[in-house]
Amino acid sequence: MPEPAAPEARAVTLLARPRLWLVPAVLTGILALLLSLLYMGGIVSPDDDLRDLPIALVDGDTSEPPAGQRQNLGTQAAAAIAADTAGGRAQWRRLSRAQAQDQLDSGKVYGALVIPAGFTDSVTALTTTRATTRPTITTLTNPGKGSLGSSLANRITTDAAHQVSLTLGKRLTAAAPGADSTTRLLLADPVAVVTRVGHPVGAHSGLGLSAFYYTLLLVLAGFMGGNVISNGVDTALGYADNEIGPWHTRRPTVPIDRTQTLLLKMVMTAGITLLSASLVMVSCVGVLGMDATHLPLLWIYSYCASLAVGLGVQAINAAFGGIGQLVSMFVFIVLGLPSSGATVPLQAVPGFYRFLSHFEPMRQLSDGVRAILYFDARGDAGLTRSWIMIAIGAVLAPLFGFAMTRYYDRKGHRRLTPQPA
């Protein structure tokens, strides 16, 4: 006579079990805490954390020095600016105009301050009847380095130019004691600060943010694609159940060791990433009209970047098992976003994130995307380093993954197949 079926459990009864609450509550709380600290910690105080933002300083003044002085006013102003690092926030680079433009075009500086030719003559003319135009100092922005980074640099250069104007104003006012009130007002702040774009980006570049979001798409394509492939292979081989809504299926288990399973997943990742990376590029460039040049290079780079992430996900999943997806999320997403330098300059984040930026994948990938989209695919704009880091990642991921699976296989740690109750 068959035994009677055990009564089904009820939610009310199970909710009274403390152990049922413990693990989900602890993990959820830790995740919420870490995500809050890591994300907000990287962007909450860029002004306070700003250190050594590279900015070009150009002294183009070729005028003769004023009477009784050894240097012209441009040289004096440039020396004063370079000596004042704005509380350590600026790293002034004394460059020629051509050198400054080259560093703007390669993304090596976030902006520039340019003292023009004839600056001394135009300033000294204000105390005479020869004045025809107001002296100017030009600040150049670099939106290709991101809207926030360019804005921080522009604020520093504008403040420096205004300080030069006020210093000169004191001298001019003292040299013209008999000037009328209107003239004295002009002399008190004689230099006009003109802001121009030093290295323009396209109108469909998200104000310099399209590189960040495109990089994020490539990372997500590799991350999510790798996890989908991993789960799909486990389901197809009978090592995981497939449950969609009320439908539950279980395939026959295919005998296969961990190493061969990882090889299968990585080969599938290499193939399927061709589709996902292509669709990302077609969607962004072809459908949405994102500004982009060097399209063949961008496509190859997109594929290799997503593939490196996907291989990393497969290796981590193989090594850590059930918590692999959580580990890879921290490696590629949680720690990657605030240390990418793509939205907030690395010079404006705490030291912990600057340390992470040396090896976190998203920073390496965003530099390459930025170089292709904004800086004419120049190697010295970050593209060369990105290719090197992608190659290193694509090699280390299989080495790590296969080392772990071969170790598990030699130890006899076979994959267990869940058995229904």
Side-chain angles (χ1 to χ4, degrees), residues 346-357:
L346 292 175
Q347 293 82 1
V349 298
F352 171 68
Y353 299 98
R354 288 196 291 272
F355 167 74
L356 289 178
S357 70

Side-chain angles (χ1 to χ4, degrees), residues 21-388:
W21 289 79
L22 181 61
V23 173
V26 170
L27 289 180
T28 302
I30 292 175
L31 282 175
L33 177 64
L34 290 178
L35 288 174
S36 301
L37 293 176
L38 290 172
Y39 281 152
M40 294 303 294
I43 59 95
V44 73
S45 55
D47 281 316
D48 295 338
D49 295 316
L50 185 59
R51 295 290 183 275
D52 299 327
L53 191 71
I55 303 172
L57 175 59
V58 179
D59 174 19
D61 189 7
T62 56
S63 304
E64 292 295 324
Q69 300 185 35
R70 300 179 59 184
Q71 297 178 321
N72 63 31
L73 298 181
T75 301
Q76 296 177 39
I81 293 171
D84 180 10
T85 60
R89 298 186 303 159
Q91 180 195 90
W92 295 105
R93 298 183 179 180
R94 299 287 295 270
L95 304 170
S96 68
R97 183 66 181 87
Q99 290 172 330
Q101 189 60 54
D102 182 71
Q103 294 212 3
L104 286 166
D105 293 341
S106 60
K108 291 186 174 67
V109 294
Y110 284 81
L113 189 149
V114 180
I115 301 172
F119 179 72
T120 299
D121 293 338
S122 61
V123 172
T124 56
L126 292 176
T127 59
T128 70
T129 58
R130 301 191 313 272
T132 56
T133 58
R134 189 181 179 189
T136 61
I137 291 180
T138 302
T139 66
L140 301 176
T141 63
N142 194 354
K145 295 294 288 181
S147 55
L148 179 59
S150 182
S151 174
L152 290 171
N154 186 56
R155 188 192 312 169
I156 293 172
T157 54
T158 301
D159 289 345
H162 279 307
Q163 187 58 47
V164 168
S165 180
L166 295 175
T167 301
L168 292 174
K170 293 178 182 179
R171 296 187 193 177
L172 296 175
T173 302
D180 58 53
S181 59
T182 302
T183 303
R184 291 177 64 85
L185 184 63
L186 171 62
L187 295 180
D189 188 10
V191 180
V193 181
V194 179
T195 299
R196 294 180 181 148
V197 178
H199 179 81
V201 297
H204 299 105
S205 297
L207 300 177
L209 288 175
S210 60
F212 164 69
Y213 283 102
Y214 190 85
T215 303
L216 181 59
L217 288 172
L218 296 181
V219 172
L220 289 175
F223 172 76
M224 294 189 298
N227 283 313
V228 169
I229 292 169
S230 181
N231 294 334
V233 168
D234 288 344
T235 300
L237 298 182
Y239 290 91
D241 291 358
N242 183 32
E243 189 171 357
I244 302 176
W247 296 282
H248 173 267
T249 58
R250 174 77 171 282
R251 294 182 179 275
T253 301
V254 177
I256 186 172
D257 63 22
R258 293 174 181 269
T259 300
Q260 289 298 310
T261 302
L262 178 59
L263 177 61
L264 174 63
K265 291 178 179 180
M266 285 193 168
V267 172
M268 291 182 63
T269 298
I272 294 175
T273 301
L274 278 170
L275 173 64
S276 59
S278 299
L279 289 176
V280 167
M281 182 172 169
V282 168
S283 300
C284 293
V285 179
V287 178
L288 300 176
M290 181 186 77
D291 287 324
T293 57
H294 305 281
L295 296 183
L297 175 61
L298 181 61
W299 178 79
I300 294 172
Y301 184 89
S302 300
Y303 171 70
C304 293
S306 286
L307 176 60
V309 174
L311 295 178
V313 168
Q314 300 298 3
I316 291 172
N317 286 348
F320 293 94
I323 65 170
Q325 294 186 16
L326 190 60
V327 174
S328 60
M329 182 184 74
F330 269 85
V331 171
F332 294 106
I333 307 295
V334 176
L335 296 176
L337 283 172
S339 63
S340 67
T343 52
V344 179
L346 292 175
Q347 293 82 1
V349 298
F352 171 68
Y353 299 98
R354 288 196 291 272
F355 167 74
L356 289 178
S357 70
H358 293 297
F359 51 84
E360 263 297 320
M362 191 171 291
R363 187 276 172 102
Q364 324 309 326
L365 302 184
S366 66
D367 282 355
V369 171
R370 188 184 300 277
I372 295 173
L373 293 184
Y374 304 149
F375 300 118
D376 198 30
R378 291 178 52 161
D380 60 349
L383 185 57
T384 298
R385 184 177 185 277
S386 293
W387 276 123
I388 293 173

